[in-house]
Amino acid sequence: MFSANDKISTRQFQILLILEIFGVGFLILPRISAEFVSHEGFIAVLIGTAMAIICGFLMASLSNIFPEKSFFDYASKIISKPIAFLLALGLFLNIILHVSFELRLFSEIVKEVMLYNTPIWVISLLILLVSAYAAICGMELRARLAELLALIVFIPLIVVFSKAIFETNFSEVLPIFQNDAQGYLKGGFASFSVFAGLYVILLSYPYLNNKKKGRKATVSAIAVSGIFMAIITLITIARFGAIGVTKHRFPTLEMMNITTLPGSIIERQEALMMSFFVVALFAIINSGIFFSSVLTRSVVKKGKHFVYVFIILVSIFVISLLLNDASKIHEIRETLFTIFAITYMIIIPMLLLVIAKIRRLGEKSYD
């Protein structure tokens, strides 16, 4: 059931957005960026972050003029219900596919690192069940839980990478600015794919208790996430070298595994590191289930929230099991990102915002 006061603070919104961005993508970000711009991968990440900030500002600006309405409701007001229904359907598919790919990728990582003999479907199902339960409990509980999860995820990461700095030869990332503009743009766009979870901005605004700070909070959360991932990419590439990074499936995880913690008595450090990413994945899956169910209910206008959660849980589970070709997952994921995410992060928000401004629609703008 939902809380009686299903509102979240600006800080909680930022934490939810950071966890959504961070997710599984940062595990492969050094490899993706290095494939395009070699040792200057961190520059590609910063370019991708700049793209994400522009998109985030655009989506927040659209939500800003309809602060109390759902995406489907204000899209219906701007461009008619039939077209709004198609847009909502596309966004729903985007969320479901995004979460399914993240779930499959992460389940494979967990199986490879910790649970060798456990079937992938068991790992996926357990994660889905826990995430679905939290999604049923509503936005306020999710936000409070995110504050705790952020500490569990980021404090150990900061400790590990701070230690890694002193064990790294940064000459591996020199000299810089050796690529041409086309290479940086391709690398930036590839890095931009990590921000596929920004769709939550379009769906989170009605839950904010201080909408006046919504756009600023959005931009700062994206910037912090991007800078943090750029630093991680820099350290990882400097540690393995550009060629070495491209040979690792999950270079960030590998680097964390070989970075010895001071005074550590842990025999399997990689398992400890993976436990933090399980928490991050939980945040992503929980977010996808919650917002896709909220979006569906806003269109149908009837039914219990938990019913939609159950249907979506089954859908994600089935799709993730169908993704049984690991070599194709990244390729398909990038294609879907280009088709769906770019559409809903740039084209549709821009069109809706322009039409709303031309028609002078909106409830109250928080400028």
Side-chain angles (χ1 to χ4, degrees), residues 172-184:
E172 290 286 347
V173 295
L174 297 174
I176 61 174
F177 302 119
Q178 298 298 300
N179 287 276
D180 57 21
Q182 185 178 7
Y184 287 126

Side-chain angles (χ1 to χ4, degrees), residues 229-246:
M229 289 191 292
I231 293 173
I232 289 175
T233 300
L234 172 65
I235 296 173
T236 305
I237 293 178
R239 191 69 176 271
F240 292 121
I243 297 177
V245 163
T246 58

Side-chain angles (χ1 to χ4, degrees), residues 3 5 7-8 12 16 139-149:
S3 166
N5 177 28
K7 295 291 184 179
I8 61 175
Q12 289 171 330
L16 285 167
M139 188 65 161
E140 187 178 8
L141 182 140
R142 291 185 61 248
R144 292 179 178 180
L145 187 59
E147 292 180 295
L148 175 62
L149 296 182

Side-chain angles (χ1 to χ4, degrees), residues 2 293 296-298 300-309:
F2 284 112
S293 63
T296 306
R297 194 179 182 191
S298 71
V300 179
K301 302 294 185 185
K302 62 180 179 180
K304 299 293 185 179
H305 177 67
F306 73 87
V307 174
Y308 294 107
V309 169

Side-chain angles (χ1 to χ4, degrees), residues 295-366:
L295 178 63
T296 306
R297 194 179 182 191
S298 71
V299 175
V300 179
K301 302 294 185 185
K302 62 180 179 180
K304 299 293 185 179
H305 177 67
F306 73 87
V307 174
Y308 294 107
V309 169
F310 176 76
I311 294 173
I312 289 164
L313 182 153
V314 173
S315 301
I316 294 173
F317 181 63
V318 172
I319 294 173
S320 69
L321 292 183
L322 293 175
L323 300 170
N324 53 13
D325 188 347
S327 62
K328 294 290 185 180
I329 288 180
H330 295 302
E331 181 181 340
I332 299 173
R333 180 177 179 270
E334 290 176 5
T335 302
L336 289 175
F337 172 77
T338 303
I339 296 173
F340 285 103
I342 297 301
T343 302
Y344 282 91
M345 290 166 62
I346 301 176
I347 300 174
I348 289 176
M350 183 178 296
L351 287 176
L352 291 179
L353 184 60
V354 170
I355 295 172
K357 291 291 187 181
I358 292 174
R359 296 183 60 190
R360 297 183 179 180
L361 299 175
E363 300 169 5
K364 182 179 179 180
S365 181
Y366 294 89

